[in-house]
Amino acid sequence: MHNLMEELPLPINWERLLTVDCDKLTSLFIEQGRHSEAKLQIRGYSLPFVGTQQRWSAVIEELARLMLKYVFPERERPDDIDWRKARDKFGDISPVSDGKLGEMLLYFLVEAAFKTPLMGYKLKDLSNPNDQVKGADGLFVGEYQGETALLIGESKIHKRLKGGVASAIASLQRFHDSAGPYEHELYIARKYPRERGLDAEAIDTVLQIISGDNQQRILVHPVLVSYDYENISAISKKAKKKEEADSLLKIELETEIETWKDAISKKEAYYPTPYQTYLDFFFIPAESTL
């Protein structure tokens, strides 16, 4: 019995692999409600008001600080921090037509909220930074609700809520329907545990989670949907101070949760496969997502 216990692999300390400051989540965003049913989780967040206006500047500064860690795993990061080396991977195309910044925001939210580390670094291998990056919007490995999990993300920054939800779920359905790209994505991901500096035993554990050889692991789709919410402009005009603005938005978003639930449920008949997995939505309504 003693020898058997010695042969069991040690659990991986997933939090040791996190690259974000998890405490930043509560300073950069205000949680505006949560809903849970079966395998669906919905989390609402908003930007805090600065005076009586919302600003993305603090979020942008944090993402800029994390850019090197997002693009390069431990073994490929330069000893002297070279922010430009990471920035070049984002190319010169407009954020309006390119999803890389939304994917990076999803990375921050997943690591900070779930404590599950990023295990895919597709930007570092991008030969032409002006290309759209195909495939999953983030691959994470760790624990989710106490279960060993592979997390494959989707990020949509959209002018309209319903359009963002529909686009996200349609993308997930295509991911499941396209066996070739799906398998290719997971095959490429097999190299990243080594680049994270894991030892041989941990690498084997992570590879089993990615490949599905660990049959107990669950599949989770974290989904970010940020969209324009015109009521924020009205709140900025009405509120006389920050506390009043925050309070008014909280009241607005308590009812908006029902709209989120409805938008998700209406797509199940058209795109059923993602609903067989765990779905965890981050909603961030903002005055202007642009």
Side-chain angles (χ1 to χ4, degrees):
M1 182 66 177
H2 178 69
N3 291 336
L4 177 61
M5 291 298 292
E6 287 182 346
E7 293 174 2
L8 292 176
L10 293 173
I12 296 175
N13 182 354
W14 300 112
E15 292 196 26
R16 182 182 63 81
L17 296 171
L18 298 176
T19 55
V20 309
D21 180 352
C22 298
D23 292 336
K24 287 282 188 177
L25 180 60
T26 54
S27 63
L28 295 176
F29 295 100
I30 297 175
E31 185 170 334
Q32 298 285 11
R34 191 178 296 189
H35 173 78
S36 176
E37 59 178 72
K39 296 194 306 191
L40 171 66
Q41 294 282 335
I42 296 175
R43 306 162 193 265
Y45 288 95
S46 70
L47 297 169
F49 283 88
V50 178
T52 58
Q53 293 179 294
Q54 283 191 343
R55 292 284 183 265
W56 280 99
S57 54
V59 176
I60 293 168
E61 288 174 8
E62 183 63 15
L63 295 184
R65 189 184 70 81
L66 290 169
M67 191 173 287
L68 196 72
K69 293 182 178 180
Y70 174 65
V71 174
F72 299 107
E74 285 86 338
R75 289 189 173 178
E76 295 197 23
R77 289 179 205 148
D79 293 332
D80 53 333
I81 300 300
D82 188 350
W83 184 85
R84 290 170 299 179
K85 185 177 180 182
R87 170 61 183 86
D88 288 346
K89 291 293 185 179
F90 282 76
D92 294 321
I93 52 180
S94 169
V96 177
S97 58
D98 181 67
K100 295 187 186 80
L101 288 175
E103 295 173 23
M104 190 176 179
L105 180 55
L106 178 65
Y107 140 75
F108 169 78
L109 292 169
V110 171
E111 283 213 357
F114 301 165
K115 308 295 192 295
T116 53
L118 182 70
M119 202 62 69
Y121 290 81
K122 60 183 183 180
L123 279 190
K124 78 177 185 66
D125 297 322
L126 196 61
S127 57
N128 183 355
N130 291 328
D131 286 344
Q132 291 278 357
V133 186
K134 304 300 182 182
D137 291 347
L139 188 146
F140 309 80
V141 174
E143 288 191 1
Y144 179 85
Q145 297 185 8
E147 301 293 335
T148 300
L150 171 67
L151 297 89
I152 296 175
E154 185 65 36
S155 170
K156 295 297 179 185
I157 296 180
H158 207 278
K159 192 165 185 64
R160 305 281 181 198
L161 164 66
K162 292 181 180 179
V165 171
S167 180
I169 296 177
S171 292
L172 293 176
Q173 183 69 46
R174 287 194 298 271
F175 188 78
H176 285 278
D177 288 345
S178 304
Y182 178 82
E183 293 302 325
H184 178 71
E185 183 97 10
L186 297 184
Y187 176 79
I188 294 297
R190 294 173 62 85
K191 70 178 182 177
Y192 296 123
R194 295 177 176 85
E195 296 179 349
R196 293 297 317 263
L198 297 178
D199 61 33
E201 189 173 69
I203 288 173
D204 186 60
T205 298
V206 172
L207 292 182
Q208 289 184 33
I209 295 171
I210 291 174
S211 66
D213 290 341
N214 180 331
Q215 296 183 12
Q216 297 302 314
R217 70 100 158 121
I218 60 173
L219 180 60
V220 182
H221 288 303
V223 182
L224 165 64
V225 178
S226 186
Y227 63 98
D228 290 357
Y229 188 61
E230 61 185 19
N231 293 15
I232 294 175
S233 177
I235 289 172
S236 289
K237 293 177 182 178
K238 180 179 180 180
K240 295 180 179 179
K241 57 183 180 179
K242 168 182 168 56
E243 291 77 12
E244 182 182 4
D246 285 333
S247 177
L248 288 172
L249 182 57
K250 186 172 185 62
I251 293 170
E252 288 274 353
L253 294 184
E254 284 175 354
T255 59
E256 189 73 355
I257 291 177
E258 293 301 317
T259 308
W260 299 338
K261 289 164 55 179
D262 186 61
I264 295 169
S265 65
K266 283 185 175 178
K267 294 302 170 184
E268 184 173 2
Y270 303 97
Y271 310 111
T273 311
Y275 295 82
Q276 299 171 4
T277 71
Y278 286 77
L279 294 172
D280 204 314
F281 278 81
F282 296 92
F283 286 99
I284 306 180
E287 183 177 359
S288 173
T289 54
L290 179 61

